[in-house]
Structures are given as C-alpha cells and as structure tokens.
Amino acid sequence: MRTLSLILLAVPLMAQKHGAGRTPTDQEIRGLGATVAPDGTGLPEGSGTPAEGRALFAARCAKCHGEKAMGDVGPRLVGGQGTLATAQPVKTVGSFWPHATSLWNYINRAMPFNQPGALSHSEVYAAVAYLLEINGIIGPKDTMNARTLPKVRMPNRDGFVPDARPDIKR
Amino acid sequence: MAKTSRRQALRLGAALGSGALAQGEEARLLGTPLGPYGERSRHVTSVRTMRQTRTPEAGSSATPLAETYGIITPSALHYERHHAGIPDIDPATHTLTIHGLVERPLVLTMAELRRLPSVSRIHFLECGGNSGGEWGAKTGPDVQRSYGLASCSEWTGVPLRLLLEEVGLKPKASWLIAEGADACRMQRSVPIVAALDDAMLAYGQNGEPLRPAQGFPLRLLTPGWEGNVQVKWLRRLHVTDQPYMTRDETSKYSDLMPDGKARLFSLPQEAKSVITFPSGGHTLDRPALLELTGLAWSGRGRIERVEITFDGGATWRDARLDEPRFRLAFTRFRLPYRWDAKPAAIASRATDETGYVQPTREQLIAARGANSGYHFNGIKFWRIAAGGQVTNADA
C-alpha cells in the first residue's frame, strides 16, 4: 500500500481550540479491545494450534461454515487457490486474504456470527491456526501467537493493487 | 354548489348514487386530532425490499427510489446494509475515543460532540455493492431491487477536520482506523486525504437524530465514498501510519480484475444515474406526454449534465436538472417524453464536474472484467414494450 498516494490534510498542530472531551487512560483505550495491524502490532498474548482449532471449529463454527469449511449459512473458508485469474474465482481466507493478522482481527471482533466477542484470545489463535492449516498455509504442528502469526505469508500477499479509477476514458 | 337549489342538489346526489351529498344535509366527519408523532397516510405503502438471506442481521434493504420525490430520501426508507444487526445504543453513555498517533488522545461524550461547531449538508450515501447484480445476470427487476442501495439525506455533524485539529495529528499520522459499536465492531481504514475535508462525524439526519439503522447516535460520514467505509455507531478513531487491511476492505469491497489482482480502497463512487420513471415494473397504459425522471450522483463532485436516450443509445438529449445542485448529492433530472406505444430502450448518462462521463456496462467489463462485483456505475437501460410494460433490459 506504500504506492497509494496520500495528500495529507494540512492539519496544523495548534493549541487545543475547543477543549472538548477528556484524556482517556491507557486502561480505557485497552478496554476498547484489540485492533491489529498487518505487521502484528496490537496482537495480544495467547496462542493456539491447528489441533485445538479443529475441535473449536467443529463445536463453534461448523454449523454455519460447514464441517469442512466449504460454506453454508456463512461463506466458504477453504480452497480456491489458483482461481483468482479465472472466469470462476473462488475468494476465501486461503486464496484471497493478504494478511493472516487480518484473520485474527476479524474473528476476534466478529465471529462466531451469533456470539461475537465470546472467544478467548487463545481460541481466536486456534481458529486462525486451523483455517491456515486446512488451507495448506501452515503445518499441523505450527503454533500461532503474537510472534508467529505476523510471519505467516499468505498466498495472495501481493495480490492487491491501488484503486486505478477513473479507468474509463471517453 | 353554492347556488344549486336544494331540489337540484338532491337530484345531483341521487344521480351520483349517493343519498346525502347535498351541502348542509349531513355533517362531515372531523379528522383525527393532533398527535405527538406524525405517521404517513395509510394509503402510502412504499417500503424497503429485503434480499432473501438466512442471516438478516448481515443483509441489506433497498430504497424504493421510484417512489420518492425530489432528492431527499425519507429516513425511514433509507437503504440499510449491516453486518451484525442494528445495536440499541443509549446516547447518554455512548462515547467516541480518538487515540493513536495524536498529541492529545480524547474521549468525547455525545453531549460534548453536539456542543462543537457543526455543519449540515445534503449528501448521497451508496453501498459499494449497489447495482452489483448488473455485472452479471443477478440484477433485480426494478430500480429498487437493482439500484436501491443508494439514498440521500441532509446530514448534520462535527467536521472531522475540527476533531483532528483538536487531538493534533502527529507527523506520521496518515490513516484513521474507524470502529463501530455494532456486535461485529465493524472496522475500516480511512486514508487521511484532502477529500476528507468534506467528512463529518454525523449525529443528525433530515432534521432529527440519526435513525438507528444509519448509525445512531454517531457515524462517520465521508461524502461521496462507498457506504461501508462510513462506519456507523462510531466508537473509536485509531490514528495510524498504515491501513489495517481489515476484512471489509480486503476480502470484501475490493475489485477483482481479470489478471487476478484486486484493487483496494476504491473509495469514491463514480458518476452514476438511473431513470426512476418509467422504470422496471411500471406499465404505461396509453400513448401520452409523460415526464421522464430520475436521479444522478457522483462521488467526485457536482452533476453537470444528464443525457437521455430513447433509442438504445443511438441519440441522446439533455435532461433538465433540478436546482440547486449540491456536490456529492442526488441531482433530480426530468425530461418531457411522448410515448407513442412503440418499443423503446431508454437510459440516462451522467457527467460530473470533473468531466467524467458515466460509461457503458460494456466499457466497464472491458476495463475490469465481469468479476469485480462492486462499484458498478454503468449506463442503465430499461426496455419499454409496445404494450407499455417496462422491464430491466439487463435482467
């Protein structure tokens, strides 16, 4: 994304003008919950393995995503690698998502769909580990945590380009 | 009736098949009394349509564009697109936290936000996936079900710039990670670019507080950009030096090209227009002079021109644009149209203030393939049959 040209707002660092609001404590900011950058900044403690994730997925995710994660009420979460440039692209976590960290961030905030926020941080690592493993991205013995997850290289890591519009000239 | 004799009146009444029409014969009923909150007439029944889904909390509902007048969408008919349902938020306890690469992190209550200098402006809001069915064969039969994920309101709020000045951006600050208070804590990365000069933290919509479905009590409004980035139920802005590549800006709302690469952050909604009358589902019952009308909008500024074709795109005529025309807002266009009971293929073509002309569907597919899914703004044809039935030409 470095190529995305940014014209920064000319925001002057002037003295506080309206004095609205108050300064939050660090604890209050942490209390808002984890938010994770592609380089892993913001990932919390905890860890999970594909094996732990397999059990969790069967219990908490499979009823919507299917036993083999092939999709049902919720979208398909496995396969599709090599299809993006074809007439029938299959976009999944494994084939499309550029960053493994985004997967942790999303599952932590939004899944299970009917109980978002219910998983512990380690359960989220386990779910991520399982999805990465069934997509052939990590091995069955690889443990995911704040140090290992950012190092995972997703197959479609370089598959994104900046907005090129307007792309149609008269 | 004033000079009609009683006998004449009685005869008139009888002739009209009613026993007691004459003035003075029977008193008229009083209407209903005053009320604290207005309802629309029971004879007015237009509603949003909802797509079939097993997870209605992560679905969309569409505005009946052909049943609205002018440029403002009634708040109750504003389109919806949610990913985890509509939260029930008490504005007395809701707060917005701004932190990260700032000099002075802040937490603000709604009361504090409402006390700050504010602006009110008319802007459209459109889902990045609106009319996405037109890329393929999944489009809807009428303008509501094919183009209805777009609406236009007057929004009131605090300019984002004012709050960024209030917290003081650090030199490396270049993105805002916006987060909602809905169950999925919707999260989008927002580049801090010049276009954000139009952005506001909105708490008002069409003269009243935001409707819950549009983000009550607070939403991000980045006028002209795709709807998803304008995070509803806004609870925090985390200022960073990079986008966070969240699910809804990578897995979703990115445009997949034929070479397998996907474009990211296609934020402005490009110039677009659609005829709302006559449009799919309408029937023209007899040859007549009609008023053709529709809506045009652009995420890059004001609409300057809308042209209409009646012959499938061979010839075009300028439509009249309602004034005033606002930047980044619906513009209503109109053109008298004599329908002579012959088949026709009608469409509108918008040009915005940058000179950009709404492309054809074929041009879009030539440039992006048919699998990009989002950000479709092609010229929209409706087919009028000799019998007057109007259908979606692309369905």
Side-chain angles (χ1 to χ4, degrees), chain A residues 21-133:
Chain A
R22 62 174 175 83
T23 309
T25 63
D26 287 346
Q27 202 184 345
E28 277 178 310
I29 292 173
R30 271 197 308 278
L32 292 171
T35 161
V36 179
D39 63 9
T41 304
L43 278 173
E45 287 308 300
S47 71
T49 64
E52 288 160 1
R54 180 177 302 274
L56 176 87
F57 192 87
R60 312 284 296 267
C61 322
K63 66 169 179 279
C64 290
H65 290 283
E67 265 171 56
K68 300 215 151 70
M70 287 297 283
D72 187 0
V73 174
R76 175 174 168 178
L77 302 174
V78 67
Q81 288 178 39
T83 66
L84 296 181
T86 70
Q88 255 97 47
V90 178
K91 296 191 267 182
T92 74
V93 166
S95 67
F96 197 50
W97 288 44
H99 299 283
T101 46
S102 306
L103 190 55
W104 193 96
N105 191 42
Y106 179 72
I107 294 173
N108 182 55
R109 60 186 56 235
M111 290 293 138
F113 179 76
N114 53 344
Q115 291 175 304
L119 300 184
S120 71
H121 289 165
S122 288
E123 285 174 318
V124 178
Y125 279 114
V128 169
Y130 173 66
L131 291 177
L132 294 175
E133 197 247 336

Side-chain angles (χ1 to χ4, degrees), chain A residues 1-5 157 160-163, chain B residues 175 243 245 264-265:
Chain A
M1 283 319 300
R2 302 275 170 260
T3 42
L4 202 141
S5 71
R157 173 70 180 80
F160 290 86
V161 294
D163 178 17
Chain B
W175 290 80
M245 309 297 266
L264 281 179
F265 299 110

Side-chain angles (χ1 to χ4, degrees), chain B residues 106-154:
Chain B
L106 279 181
V107 47
L108 298 120
T109 64
M110 286 307 301
E112 286 164 339
L113 283 163
R114 281 190 297 254
R115 271 201 298 275
L116 289 170
S118 57
V119 291
S120 293
R121 284 198 226 103
I122 294 175
H123 291 303
F124 77 83
L125 197 68
E126 182 183 20
C127 176
N130 190 29
S131 63
E134 301 275 321
W135 286 111
K138 291 178 298 182
T139 187
D142 49 36
V143 68
Q144 179 169 17
R145 282 174 283 178
S146 54
Y147 276 70
L149 300 184
S151 305
C152 186
S153 299
E154 186 201 64

Side-chain angles (χ1 to χ4, degrees), chain B residues 18-38:
Chain B
S18 149
L21 263 191
Q23 191 170 351
E25 282 297 302
E26 207 169 279
R28 289 179 289 277
L29 291 178
L30 290 181
T32 50
L34 312 172
Y37 197 77

Side-chain angles (χ1 to χ4, degrees), chain B residues 15 38 127 139 170 251 253 300 375 384 387:
Chain B
C127 176
T139 187
K170 289 195 168 159
S251 168
Y253 301 100
R300 294 209 180 88
H375 306 113
I384 308 180

Side-chain angles (χ1 to χ4, degrees), chain A residues 7 9 13 16-20 22 32-33 35-36 72 87 97 102 105 109 158-161 165 167, chain B residues 54 104 107 165-166 169 179 185 187 193 197 235-236 244-245 250-251 261-264 268 368 371:
Chain A
I7 313 156
L9 278 178
L13 300 178
Q16 215 162 328
K17 288 205 302 201
H18 297 280
R22 62 174 175 83
L32 292 171
T35 161
V36 179
D72 187 0
W97 288 44
S102 306
N105 191 42
R109 60 186 56 235
D158 298 325
F160 290 86
V161 294
R165 304 167 312 152
D167 52 355
Chain B
R54 287 152 80 189
R104 295 172 295 278
V107 47
E165 285 174 6
E166 199 77 1
L169 294 185
E179 181 183 272
R185 299 284 195 254
Q187 201 188 34
V193 293
D197 272 354
R235 75 197 287 259
R236 87 158 122 179
Y244 270 26
M245 309 297 266
T250 53
S251 168
K261 302 277 185 209
R263 293 181 185 168
L264 281 179
R368 301 184 203 159
N371 284 322

Side-chain angles (χ1 to χ4, degrees), chain B residues 48 56-57 80-89 181-183 211-216 232-233:
Chain B
R48 295 186 285 226
E57 301 89 352
E80 299 170 277
R81 177 75 177 101
H82 316 306
H83 290 264
I86 305 164
D88 178 16
I89 298 177
D182 47 347
R211 291 291 173 108
Q214 272 76 62
F216 181 82
K232 295 176 286 200
W233 314 294

